[in-house]
Amino acid sequence: MAVPADFTTLDISGKFTMNKTLSDPTDTILSLQGVGWLKRKAISIGTVTLSIKHYKDDSNVEHIDIDQTITGGIPGTSEVRVLDWKEKEHEDHVFGNIISKARRVKVDELDVPFLKEGWTADTVENGLIQTHGESNTPKSGAVWIAIQTWGVEEIQGERRYVRHVKFTGPKNEDIQAKLIYDYRPYYFVSFSFFGYDDTDPMSL
């Protein structure tokens, strides 16, 4: 489902699920991050829902708080993004110990074509949300980097919330993936409880 007409990167608040049909596969990325087969399998058949709250604090610094729920028996997680480009440590039950930072960035400040191309005109004007996450190797033993840009892109004639992911693995594997989300109005009722699922993972 497309985002509302007035949805922009200035406020990405809302509820979203990943569209498995439109998104690129992420199993290889998860494997290189050290996620075990059983958990990857559960993620692949479950549905990830993101509830996003985007706001500014009293110092006018942007915050993006994300509550993630996953069907299939995997506990949900919470992401707390502060768009100040300062590194913060975090322990995630899926990805382990992580060091991450986030900011708002203009397209012309990026040097990776995949991260900067394909966005709507309003996204280019307002700026992308960029995140940089990497394994906290001394604590996790893993070695990987995931750089993302978030924004609005036209997919099959509809404005969608999209994440571009450039992933570097432990042996310099270079993977690019596009994650495309369905917007869910707050009155939306999921039918996954009844065994029907038209959406899917994965959020990195």
PDB file of all heavy atoms in Angstrom, residues 137-151:
ATOM      1  N   THR A 137      32.860  -5.619  16.771  1.00  0.00           N
ATOM      2  CA  THR A 137      33.632  -6.846  16.630  1.00  0.00           C
ATOM      3  C   THR A 137      34.258  -7.353  17.931  1.00  0.00           C
ATOM      4  O   THR A 137      34.204  -8.563  18.204  1.00  0.00           O
ATOM      5  CB  THR A 137      34.709  -6.668  15.546  1.00  0.00           C
ATOM      6  OG1 THR A 137      34.063  -6.284  14.325  1.00  0.00           O
ATOM      7  CG2 THR A 137      35.464  -7.966  15.309  1.00  0.00           C
ATOM      8  N   PRO A 138      34.852  -6.496  18.769  1.00  0.00           N
ATOM      9  CA  PRO A 138      35.424  -7.019  20.017  1.00  0.00           C
ATOM     10  C   PRO A 138      34.414  -7.730  20.910  1.00  0.00           C
ATOM     11  O   PRO A 138      34.761  -8.652  21.642  1.00  0.00           O
ATOM     12  CB  PRO A 138      35.978  -5.759  20.702  1.00  0.00           C
ATOM     13  CG  PRO A 138      36.246  -4.813  19.582  1.00  0.00           C
ATOM     14  CD  PRO A 138      35.129  -5.062  18.600  1.00  0.00           C
ATOM     15  N   LYS A 139      33.149  -7.307  20.830  1.00  0.00           N
ATOM     16  CA  LYS A 139      32.118  -7.917  21.667  1.00  0.00           C
ATOM     17  C   LYS A 139      31.381  -9.048  20.959  1.00  0.00           C
ATOM     18  O   LYS A 139      30.918  -9.991  21.614  1.00  0.00           O
ATOM     19  CB  LYS A 139      31.109  -6.850  22.104  1.00  0.00           C
ATOM     20  CG  LYS A 139      31.685  -5.816  23.057  1.00  0.00           C
ATOM     21  CD  LYS A 139      30.611  -4.847  23.527  1.00  0.00           C
ATOM     22  CE  LYS A 139      31.168  -3.853  24.540  1.00  0.00           C
ATOM     23  NZ  LYS A 139      30.137  -2.896  25.022  1.00  0.00           N
ATOM     24  N   SER A 140      31.239  -8.948  19.627  1.00  0.00           N
ATOM     25  CA  SER A 140      30.419  -9.919  18.908  1.00  0.00           C
ATOM     26  C   SER A 140      31.226 -10.963  18.146  1.00  0.00           C
ATOM     27  O   SER A 140      30.727 -12.058  17.855  1.00  0.00           O
ATOM     28  CB  SER A 140      29.515  -9.191  17.907  1.00  0.00           C
ATOM     29  OG  SER A 140      30.284  -8.606  16.876  1.00  0.00           O
ATOM     30  N   GLY A 141      32.453 -10.620  17.771  1.00  0.00           N
ATOM     31  CA  GLY A 141      33.253 -11.516  16.948  1.00  0.00           C
ATOM     32  C   GLY A 141      32.889 -11.462  15.472  1.00  0.00           C
ATOM     33  O   GLY A 141      33.550 -12.079  14.645  1.00  0.00           O
ATOM     34  N   ALA A 142      31.832 -10.730  15.130  1.00  0.00           N
ATOM     35  CA  ALA A 142      31.394 -10.608  13.743  1.00  0.00           C
ATOM     36  C   ALA A 142      32.051  -9.395  13.085  1.00  0.00           C
ATOM     37  O   ALA A 142      32.530  -8.481  13.774  1.00  0.00           O
ATOM     38  CB  ALA A 142      29.876 -10.479  13.683  1.00  0.00           C
ATOM     39  N   VAL A 143      32.082  -9.405  11.747  1.00  0.00           N
ATOM     40  CA  VAL A 143      32.653  -8.290  10.988  1.00  0.00           C
ATOM     41  C   VAL A 143      31.726  -7.974   9.820  1.00  0.00           C
ATOM     42  O   VAL A 143      31.637  -8.754   8.868  1.00  0.00           O
ATOM     43  CB  VAL A 143      34.068  -8.623  10.457  1.00  0.00           C
ATOM     44  CG1 VAL A 143      34.620  -7.427   9.679  1.00  0.00           C
ATOM     45  CG2 VAL A 143      35.002  -9.010  11.584  1.00  0.00           C
ATOM     46  N   TRP A 144      31.009  -6.869   9.880  1.00  0.00           N
ATOM     47  CA  TRP A 144      30.140  -6.444   8.793  1.00  0.00           C
ATOM     48  C   TRP A 144      29.787  -4.966   8.940  1.00  0.00           C
ATOM     49  O   TRP A 144      29.882  -4.401  10.028  1.00  0.00           O
ATOM     50  CB  TRP A 144      28.862  -7.277   8.714  1.00  0.00           C
ATOM     51  CG  TRP A 144      28.038  -7.333   9.975  1.00  0.00           C
ATOM     52  CD1 TRP A 144      28.060  -8.302  10.934  1.00  0.00           C
ATOM     53  CD2 TRP A 144      27.071  -6.366  10.427  1.00  0.00           C
ATOM     54  NE1 TRP A 144      27.183  -8.006  11.950  1.00  0.00           N
ATOM     55  CE2 TRP A 144      26.564  -6.825  11.657  1.00  0.00           C
ATOM     56  CE3 TRP A 144      26.604  -5.165   9.911  1.00  0.00           C
ATOM     57  CZ2 TRP A 144      25.602  -6.125  12.390  1.00  0.00           C
ATOM     58  CZ3 TRP A 144      25.631  -4.454  10.626  1.00  0.00           C
ATOM     59  CH2 TRP A 144      25.143  -4.948  11.850  1.00  0.00           C
ATOM     60  N   ILE A 145      29.383  -4.360   7.833  1.00  0.00           N
ATOM     61  CA  ILE A 145      28.934  -2.969   7.809  1.00  0.00           C
ATOM     62  C   ILE A 145      27.668  -2.886   6.970  1.00  0.00           C
ATOM     63  O   ILE A 145      27.601  -3.465   5.879  1.00  0.00           O
ATOM     64  CB  ILE A 145      29.999  -2.031   7.211  1.00  0.00           C
ATOM     65  CG1 ILE A 145      31.290  -2.062   8.035  1.00  0.00           C
ATOM     66  CG2 ILE A 145      29.471  -0.597   7.118  1.00  0.00           C
ATOM     67  CD1 ILE A 145      32.435  -1.304   7.389  1.00  0.00           C
ATOM     68  N   ALA A 146      26.659  -2.183   7.471  1.00  0.00           N
ATOM     69  CA  ALA A 146      25.414  -1.965   6.715  1.00  0.00           C
ATOM     70  C   ALA A 146      25.113  -0.472   6.686  1.00  0.00           C
ATOM     71  O   ALA A 146      24.875   0.131   7.733  1.00  0.00           O
ATOM     72  CB  ALA A 146      24.256  -2.731   7.336  1.00  0.00           C
ATOM     73  N   ILE A 147      25.170   0.111   5.501  1.00  0.00           N
ATOM     74  CA  ILE A 147      24.834   1.521   5.317  1.00  0.00           C
ATOM     75  C   ILE A 147      23.479   1.588   4.626  1.00  0.00           C
ATOM     76  O   ILE A 147      23.257   0.919   3.614  1.00  0.00           O
ATOM     77  CB  ILE A 147      25.895   2.241   4.473  1.00  0.00           C
ATOM     78  CG1 ILE A 147      27.274   2.104   5.136  1.00  0.00           C
ATOM     79  CG2 ILE A 147      25.539   3.717   4.314  1.00  0.00           C
ATOM     80  CD1 ILE A 147      28.408   2.631   4.283  1.00  0.00           C
ATOM     81  N   GLN A 148      22.582   2.380   5.188  1.00  0.00           N
ATOM     82  CA  GLN A 148      21.231   2.469   4.635  1.00  0.00           C
ATOM     83  C   GLN A 148      20.858   3.913   4.347  1.00  0.00           C
ATOM     84  O   GLN A 148      21.300   4.834   5.042  1.00  0.00           O
ATOM     85  CB  GLN A 148      20.199   1.908   5.617  1.00  0.00           C
ATOM     86  CG  GLN A 148      20.413   0.469   6.017  1.00  0.00           C
ATOM     87  CD  GLN A 148      19.279  -0.009   6.909  1.00  0.00           C
ATOM     88  OE1 GLN A 148      18.115   0.337   6.716  1.00  0.00           O
ATOM     89  NE2 GLN A 148      19.610  -0.820   7.892  1.00  0.00           N
ATOM     90  N   THR A 149      20.011   4.111   3.349  1.00  0.00           N
ATOM     91  CA  THR A 149      19.306   5.369   3.163  1.00  0.00           C
ATOM     92  C   THR A 149      17.814   5.069   3.116  1.00  0.00           C
ATOM     93  O   THR A 149      17.383   4.096   2.506  1.00  0.00           O
ATOM     94  CB  THR A 149      19.749   6.092   1.874  1.00  0.00           C
ATOM     95  OG1 THR A 149      19.789   5.168   0.772  1.00  0.00           O
ATOM     96  CG2 THR A 149      21.115   6.721   2.052  1.00  0.00           C
ATOM     97  N   TRP A 150      17.036   5.922   3.787  1.00  0.00           N
ATOM     98  CA  TRP A 150      15.587   5.743   3.877  1.00  0.00           C
ATOM     99  C   TRP A 150      14.913   6.932   3.205  1.00  0.00           C
ATOM    100  O   TRP A 150      15.339   8.079   3.363  1.00  0.00           O
ATOM    101  CB  TRP A 150      15.120   5.696   5.326  1.00  0.00           C
ATOM    102  CG  TRP A 150      15.770   4.681   6.209  1.00  0.00           C
ATOM    103  CD1 TRP A 150      16.622   3.670   5.840  1.00  0.00           C
ATOM    104  CD2 TRP A 150      15.628   4.570   7.619  1.00  0.00           C
ATOM    105  NE1 TRP A 150      17.012   2.944   6.934  1.00  0.00           N
ATOM    106  CE2 TRP A 150      16.421   3.467   8.053  1.00  0.00           C
ATOM    107  CE3 TRP A 150      14.917   5.290   8.574  1.00  0.00           C
ATOM    108  CZ2 TRP A 150      16.514   3.086   9.383  1.00  0.00           C
ATOM    109  CZ3 TRP A 150      15.007   4.914   9.911  1.00  0.00           C
ATOM    110  CH2 TRP A 150      15.784   3.819  10.309  1.00  0.00           C
ATOM    111  N   GLY A 151      13.837   6.650   2.489  1.00  0.00           N
ATOM    112  CA  GLY A 151      13.099   7.731   1.863  1.00  0.00           C
ATOM    113  C   GLY A 151      11.871   7.226   1.140  1.00  0.00           C
ATOM    114  O   GLY A 151      11.371   6.134   1.410  1.00  0.00           O
TER     115      GLY A 151
END
